[in-house]
Amino acid sequence: MIRISRRAALGIGTTFATGIGARCLFAQANPIRGPITLVVPFAAGGATDIVSRLVAKRLSELIGQSVIVENVAGAGGITGATRIARGAPDGSVLLMGTVSTHAINPLMAAKPPYDPLSDFTPVSLVAVVPNVIVVSQKTPAKDIQGLIAWLKTEPGKHTYGSSGNGTPPHLSGELFKSMAGVSMTHVPYRGGGPAMTDLVGGQIPILFDVLSGAAGFIRDSAVRALGITTKVRSPSFPDLPTVAEQGLANYETYTWNAVFAPPGMPEAMSRYLSARFKEAVDDAEIQKRLRELSADPIGSTPEQLTEQVKSEMAKWRPVIESVGLKQN
């Protein structure tokens, strides 16, 4: 299984295009005519929307064309993604996809409305956002091993919250249960905000959340963070150990943002866009802003994005099946 970590990300730029030097790509004439609409398949104001607007603004400056962000929310991201899967491959419309649109949702659907691989042209992985395990100040656990011991002492008695059924934090919780050999009941919320409110209030003892959403509460000591879910620590919280460091060596989950185009886009156009998105993500100010959101800037080749989607599908398929989230 192929995963892109922070260490791997450092090497992405050196192998940016197969058989084509980065300088040649950067010098390539813009093959896109007219404005670009970057579809965000979620409501405005969320992490994906914020990342998209940051990158779109810089991309517009680089290519000298308008890049308009349009929110097309619905069905957990499926509505917006389906629009791109059926769009024209002329560069006029792109998608800011996520692990939900390109792994979790297709795996959960009885009849997926699109194939995450064949119905899109991969462009670039933009950023990776870790998840985090946090507990209320009333919960006795101080670290991951303490949490596991507490849960094993009272199996099935305790609950954990997430931003909803089938979301990356929910599946992160189920993967944790499986790998740690513990039992706890999932409490789905309509978003990370309501779940965090109940965690702070002590209504639930444990929450699996996206780091960008939990960061402020962690810094204010409103909740206690036990572990980052990526393989290496987050620059936003360098003193917070990973779950893997604390005994679950192969535990790794995160969310990500990646750009996809409609199927059939000419290779010259997809590689031009990939180069431009990487250049945008490499911008010092964009990197600073993304890291303030606890997002790790990446920038990748189309091939690396394809492998990312494949690896996510391979990882989450057995989890979804074991939890019974596959729709009939």
Side-chain angles (χ1 to χ4, degrees), residues 1-4 97-104 106-107 114-125 254 256-260 300-317:
M1 184 182 299
I2 297 175
R3 298 184 178 93
I4 294 182
T98 68
V99 65
S100 291
T101 63
H102 278 72
I104 294 174
L107 289 171
Y114 54 78
D115 185 296
L117 292 168
S118 63
D119 287 340
F120 297 88
T121 299
V123 175
S124 180
L125 179 64
Y254 46 78
W256 43 261
N257 297 120
V259 179
F260 297 87
S300 79
T301 64
E303 291 83 3
Q304 287 165 325
L305 178 52
T306 295
E307 291 305 312
Q308 181 73 14
V309 172
K310 289 179 179 178
S311 70
E312 295 288 357
M313 294 186 73
K315 176 168 66 178
W316 292 120
R317 180 178 282 107

Side-chain angles (χ1 to χ4, degrees), residues 7 9 13 58 62 112 123 142 144 172 193 206 224 231-232 250 256 270 274 314 317-318 320:
R7 292 192 182 98
R58 183 63 183 129
L62 289 171
V123 175
K142 306 298 183 184
I144 293 299
S172 295
I206 307 161
R224 184 186 311 124
K231 283 290 188 180
V232 295
N250 294 317
W256 43 261
S270 65
S274 189
R317 180 178 282 107
I320 288 170

Side-chain angles (χ1 to χ4, degrees), residues 5-325:
S5 66
R6 292 180 187 83
R7 292 192 182 98
L10 295 176
I12 284 177
T14 63
T15 58
F16 185 69
T18 304
I20 304 177
R23 292 182 181 177
C24 294
L25 281 171
F26 292 162
Q28 181 183 348
N30 186 351
I32 301 171
R33 302 292 177 260
I36 297 172
T37 296
L38 179 61
V39 170
V40 175
F42 305 103
T48 299
D49 181 63
I50 294 171
V51 168
S52 298
R53 292 180 187 277
L54 283 174
V55 176
K57 183 177 184 296
R58 183 63 183 129
L59 179 67
S60 178
E61 296 167 350
L62 289 171
I63 66 177
Q65 293 172 217
S66 296
V67 181
I68 303 162
V69 174
E70 181 181 354
N71 298 92
V72 184
I78 290 177
T79 302
T82 301
R83 172 176 165 182
I84 305 307
R86 298 171 182 172
D90 57 3
S92 63
V93 62
L94 303 171
L95 173 74
M96 186 64 82
T98 68
V99 65
S100 291
T101 63
H102 278 72
I104 294 174
N105 289 342
L107 289 171
M108 286 176 55
K111 295 181 178 180
Y114 54 78
D115 185 296
L117 292 168
S118 63
D119 287 340
F120 297 88
T121 299
V123 175
S124 180
L125 179 64
V126 170
V128 168
V129 183
N131 295 319
V132 63
I133 302 175
V134 288
V135 298
S136 76
Q137 294 293 1
K138 298 178 182 179
T139 302
K142 306 298 183 184
D143 53 29
I144 293 299
Q145 285 303 318
L147 178 63
I148 294 172
W150 180 61
L151 291 170
K152 285 186 174 180
T153 300
E154 300 176 308
K157 178 179 178 180
H158 302 292
T159 61
Y160 79 92
S162 82
S163 51
N165 279 318
T167 61
H170 172 206
L171 296 186
S172 295
E174 293 302 317
L175 185 63
F176 179 84
K177 285 168 56 177
S178 174
M179 293 184 65
V182 297
S183 174
M184 52 181 172
T185 302
H186 176 229
V187 179
Y189 286 81
R190 293 183 177 179
M196 181 60 75
T197 297
D198 273 8
L199 182 73
V200 172
Q203 281 73 43
I204 55 172
I206 307 161
L207 176 65
F208 287 75
D209 200 7
V210 178
L211 180 58
S212 55
F217 296 91
I218 297 170
R219 292 191 179 102
D220 291 342
S221 298
V223 298
R224 184 186 311 124
L226 301 188
I228 294 290
T229 65
T230 40
K231 283 290 188 180
V232 295
R233 299 188 184 194
S234 169
S236 302
F237 293 89
D239 296 328
L240 180 59
T242 68
V243 175
E245 285 180 70
Q246 299 180 69
L248 297 185
N250 294 317
Y251 185 86
E252 181 184 27
T253 74
Y254 46 78
T255 60
W256 43 261
N257 297 120
V259 179
F260 297 87
M265 174 176 279
E267 183 178 0
M269 187 176 291
S270 65
R271 289 201 178 278
Y272 172 83
L273 285 169
S274 189
R276 294 280 83 77
F277 271 104
K278 176 170 172 52
E279 192 174 0
V281 172
D282 283 346
D283 180 86
E285 181 61 25
I286 297 299
Q287 294 217 352
K288 176 185 175 183
R289 296 287 301 279
L290 288 173
R291 290 194 171 104
E292 287 173 351
L293 295 168
S294 297
D296 290 336
I298 303 294
S300 79
T301 64
E303 291 83 3
Q304 287 165 325
L305 178 52
T306 295
E307 291 305 312
Q308 181 73 14
V309 172
K310 289 179 179 178
S311 70
E312 295 288 357
M313 294 186 73
K315 176 168 66 178
W316 292 120
R317 180 178 282 107
V319 177
I320 288 170
E321 291 175 351
S322 67
V323 180
L325 290 174

